[in-house]
Amino acid sequence: MEIRHIRYFLALAEELHFGKAAQKLFISQPPLSRQIKEMEVELGVQLFLRENKRVTLTVAGEHFKKESTTILAQLELLKQQTNQIYHSFAGEIKISYTSSIDKKLLGSLIMRIDENFPFLNAKLFELSSDRQIQMLTDQKMDIGVIRAPASSPILHTEKLYDDGFSLMYPKNFNLPDDLSMLSEEAFITFDIDYAQFYHGQVLAFCAHLGFAPTLRHQCNNMASIIEFVHLGLGISVVPQSLQAQCNNLNINFLNLGESSPRTDIMLAYNKKSKHPALKELCHLIHQTFKE
């Protein structure tokens, strides 16, 4: 018995009509009837009942349909996996990201990579955009999710989505009507040496609100900034996309809507990269981040 015999059987089991099944298989009806008969002879069972031009599956046929469907699915998976290994969709790929992106999207991306490329080990690195740009330029990282701008001409960048900024403050903090008074409050943000571009964007947003921040705490990850504001140690400016992660925290947000300065989240990789899975993974990242 060959694979084509199983495909013929499944076509007939689905259509339950020799003419329609033959048409679906792009063959004539007599060869299909002959192949099915040969299968039944080889198996020593009757797979179909043929009564008054009506075709139905026997109990044995129902079982064979279930098992052969599983076999073909496993065969397709085996073909896909073998193809991935042959084309080097195996080994590892290093993906970096900023701490300010939505972690739910990141988690969804990793699950999709595991599902589509089971032999590819995706390693994640949380780095500032500045650090990512340098490591991508030096080809020490394969793909990065960075916050614009990207100053290296060696990198290829593609926009994933744009993000606004919000003022983040503790729930028990009385937001003044005159926002210039916020200059007197302790301000928490990224260390300028760790995230120079982002630091500049935060200062620009503060100026847009009408105050100059008094830097009290400088961190190197977004989780610390959120935790310090939650504890009432000060205020901060963060990307709007982070708000969904703070629903259960002692935090409020001030949004400016469409008038908020925007910042682009970019997919970046080195133009000289020859990683064989690069194109497919970039497509997968676009799909994930644009849902």
Side-chain angles (χ1 to χ4, degrees):
M1 186 182 303
E2 300 177 8
I3 296 297
R4 62 184 174 87
H5 293 122
I6 296 178
R7 296 190 189 280
Y8 289 170
F9 165 80
L10 288 176
L12 182 57
E14 181 178 342
E15 298 294 337
L16 294 177
H17 188 284
F18 277 91
K20 292 180 179 179
Q23 186 177 13
K24 184 176 182 180
L25 293 166
F26 300 102
I27 62 175
S28 61
Q29 186 172 330
L32 175 61
S33 299
R34 186 170 57 254
Q35 296 290 347
I36 296 298
K37 186 62 178 177
E38 289 177 358
M39 287 181 65
E40 291 179 324
V41 170
E42 181 177 347
L43 292 170
V45 300
Q46 189 172 2
L47 298 172
F48 296 96
L49 294 175
R50 307 159 179 83
E51 298 176 353
N52 299 323
K53 296 185 178 181
R54 181 170 176 265
V55 179
T56 58
L57 281 164
T58 64
V59 175
E62 290 283 1
H63 174 75
F64 192 78
K65 177 184 178 183
K66 178 182 177 181
E67 295 301 322
S68 58
T69 300
T70 301
I71 290 172
L72 283 189
Q74 291 175 337
L75 178 61
E76 287 302 315
L77 178 60
L78 177 59
K79 287 166 59 179
Q80 178 185 357
Q81 292 173 342
T82 303
N83 185 269
Q84 289 176 4
I85 293 173
Y86 179 78
H87 290 96
S88 300
F89 290 168
E92 70 175 32
I93 189 164
K94 296 178 180 179
I95 302 174
S96 56
Y97 64 95
T98 69
S99 64
S100 56
I101 67 169
D102 190 336
K103 300 305 186 295
K104 289 183 180 179
L105 290 176
L106 190 64
S108 178
L109 172 64
I110 295 305
M111 287 190 287
R112 289 184 173 189
I113 292 175
D114 290 343
E115 179 181 351
N116 288 276
F117 306 102
F119 298 100
L120 187 63
N121 179 23
K123 291 190 174 182
L124 299 180
F125 299 84
E126 182 179 293
L127 301 168
S128 70
S129 294
D130 304 39
R131 182 60 176 154
Q132 287 190 69
I133 290 170
Q134 185 60 55
M135 295 192 74
L136 289 165
T137 299
D138 296 339
Q139 292 189 284
K140 294 180 179 179
M141 217 39 81
D142 296 304
I143 299 176
V145 179
I146 67 174
R147 191 173 293 275
S151 59
S152 175
I154 297 176
L155 300 185
H156 173 83
T157 59
E158 303 170 9
K159 179 179 175 179
L160 294 174
Y161 63 93
D162 62 45
D163 202 357
F165 286 99
S166 300
L167 178 70
M168 181 171 66
Y169 57 96
K171 287 183 177 179
N172 58 358
F173 176 75
N174 294 319
L175 195 65
D177 295 330
D178 182 2
L179 295 182
S180 66
M181 301 296 294
L182 293 175
S183 297
E184 301 176 4
E185 302 300 324
F187 194 83
I188 306 164
T189 190
F190 276 103
D191 180 0
I192 186 173
D193 294 327
Y194 179 78
Q196 182 178 2
F197 292 149
Y198 180 84
H199 187 87
Q201 291 173 320
V202 166
L203 294 183
F205 181 79
C206 292
H208 186 78
L209 290 180
F211 77 98
T214 300
L215 302 183
R216 177 70 60 80
H217 305 288
Q218 297 187 56
C219 310
N220 61 7
N221 64 80
M222 185 58 68
S224 294
I225 294 174
I226 293 174
E227 182 69 15
F228 285 157
V229 175
H230 168 72
L231 294 173
L233 300 181
I235 62 175
S236 187
V237 166
V238 298
Q240 290 180 356
S241 58
L242 288 179
Q243 294 185 35
Q245 302 179 40
C246 303
N247 289 334
N248 299 321
L249 300 178
N250 177 42
I251 290 174
N252 279 335
F253 292 90
L254 173 65
N255 296 316
L256 299 185
E258 293 302 320
S259 65
S260 170
R262 312 295 293 181
T263 177
D264 288 341
I265 304 301
M266 312 287 289
L267 168 68
Y269 58 86
N270 194 299
K271 293 177 182 178
K272 297 181 180 179
S273 175
K274 298 186 184 304
H275 197 292
L278 181 66
K279 181 178 178 180
E280 286 76 8
L281 284 180
C282 287
H283 178 69
L284 202 60
I285 291 172
H286 272 286
Q287 281 186 323
T288 304
F289 279 79
K290 289 190 175 182
E291 288 186 344

